[in-house]
Amino acid sequence: MNKTIFIIGSGFSSLAASCYLAKAGYNVTIFEKNSTIGGRARQLKKDGFVFDIGPTWYWMPDVFERFFSDFNKKPSDYYSLEKLNPAYSVYFGKDDFITIEDTLDKIKIAFENEEKGSSKKLNQFIDKAKSNYDIAIKDLVYNPGVSPLELVTSATIKKLNQFFSTIKKDVRKEFKNERLVKILEFPVLFLGAKPSDTPSFYSFMNYADFGLGTFHPKKGMYQVILAIETLAKELGVIIKTNKPVDKIIVENDKAVGIVSNGETYKSDIIVSGADYHHTETLLDKPYKQYSEAYWNKKTFAPSSLLFYVGFDKKLINVNHHTLFFDVDFDIHAEAIYDTPKWPENPLFYASFPSKTDDSAAPKGKEAGIFLIPLAPGLEDTPELRETYFNKIIERFENLTSQNVKKHVIFKESFCINDFIKDYNSYKGNAYGMANTLTQTAFLRPKLKSKKVKNLFFTGQLTVPGPGVPPSLISGKLVADLVIKHHSI
């Protein structure tokens, strides 16, 4: 009889793992605590508006293609993609913004308009970033983080210095214009750390941005979740919602089942795509690999204060993705990473999916998602949320020269307390553990438990790290490891 695998959680990494494991012949069941699947990539529907609660950026389309091709499928079998043009715009002051278009040639023109000679430097910078991308995304990130030797290849040896320099140093060595610097430093924020703490090698994110571009799945990112759910079910995966896991049962140092809603379920193998720290709280103390002190010392990616807003009119002077960098990034970063506190003047990001996608809002109306990065673990109250909504909306109105506050039909918010309640997220982090030098590859929490046989982990706190494409890869890595240790 084929072995039974239980997967905790139904985010990108869990769903991906379920597909690979079912394809390999295991009997796979997913246990999801919430009423809908998707983990952080769930959806909010209200009054004819549709919002992606979590990820809104579709980058690295090749990773999605590689995932689906492993099952002889294509993304287009499940959803349609549109390349955004412009990809995004960045505000630096009132009516003062730079637009990033959909090809490198167009982006070079924007850079040259800003700083003479910068387009040539950008070409060289992106060439190096592409070389890193080819090494990282086509090779390195598909390693399971078991040994330091995974990082040692003929290609990485040539780039060794890039692991000991930083994005901030590299960018500022070549570009003097502060606005261009901010645009080039922006993509690594997806990795959850400051540019000054992110190794130069991660410039491959700049190639993802300028070289590959930004896409939008028709009807939103949730369509990708639904696509992988469809694939999983085609492969025989069973998905149970409203099934929080209360305990992982261990007998003779081996995971043998779970307790959910007071009921015991027996299985041969357990994979957790839930928050890593939370998963270890489901184990009796002797079976935890990592202490509270361990987690407390780690650099976590930010949490976020998010607003999902329905407007009763179409907005002007914004694109599908719009960044607001009109305040000092370093001061905001300090409030996230160095002395955690609510930032006085936060940078923020806004997404208006209805600029591209008619399904996101009723005709003549606009759906807006606003995000402020925050330090995890901060106090989160309704009063603070309201204060910060007013702060960013006043700035938004001023920067984009329009009145929007009186056109708000409704707003819903999501912040630290919600990340904890809905996802059991450590300190309410939104993106997992940052990819700093000391938290890269084999230095991240392990995919396989060192103390409990048949217990595995996947997701953004383990390898390869934060983000949707890495989560898909993490699902493949853990499945490969399970198959290696437990052949049917």
Side-chain angles (χ1 to χ4, degrees), residues 276-277 280 287-295 298 442-448 450-451 457:
Y276 204 124
H277 169 270
E280 290 224 309
Y287 300 117
K288 294 181 185 183
Q289 303 171 93
Y290 304 108
S291 66
E292 287 300 314
Y294 168 90
W295 294 111
K298 293 296 168 191
F442 66 96
L443 297 170
R444 297 178 73 79
K446 301 299 181 198
L447 289 165
K448 185 177 184 296
K450 295 176 286 190
K451 293 194 172 182
F457 300 83

Side-chain angles (χ1 to χ4, degrees), residues 202-221:
Y202 284 105
S203 70
F204 64 72
M205 293 296 289
N206 293 103
Y207 177 70
D209 181 2
F210 288 1
L212 295 174
T214 303
F215 295 77
H216 173 73
K218 184 76 176 151
K219 296 187 179 176
M221 285 292 286

